[in-house]
Amino acid sequence: MMPWEFRELMQMNGFTLIDQDYVWKQDFNEKLSVSLPVDLKEALSFSTIYLFQKS
């Protein structure tokens, strides 16, 4: 499952996204990610870590 699919599924089931963080791929410069949209950050990361709260 892709990160954006998981995020959408959780929101459809009554969870609110509180925060998220990324585990970047080895050769990616994290400083380049500042201006990127969330979907592109998720695509470029090795893993995305979410914090949800049940609404």
Side-chain angles (χ1 to χ4, degrees):
M1 178 178 286
M2 301 307 292
W4 48 89
E5 294 172 326
F6 178 70
R7 186 181 66 229
E8 181 73 21
L9 181 65
M10 293 296 285
Q11 291 172 339
M12 286 175 20
N13 285 293
F15 288 84
T16 304
L17 179 62
I18 304 298
D19 197 13
Q20 63 187 38
D21 199 13
Y22 308 98
V23 178
W24 298 107
K25 294 179 181 175
Q26 185 174 0
D27 294 329
F28 184 74
N29 184 350
E30 187 175 343
K31 294 176 185 175
L32 298 174
S33 71
V34 175
S35 62
L36 297 177
V38 171
D39 289 343
L40 190 51
K41 288 179 182 179
E42 291 172 344
L44 290 171
S45 66
F46 175 74
S47 182
T48 305
I49 302 165
Y50 294 104
L51 175 62
F52 287 99
Q53 182 176 13
K54 182 70 174 167
S55 301

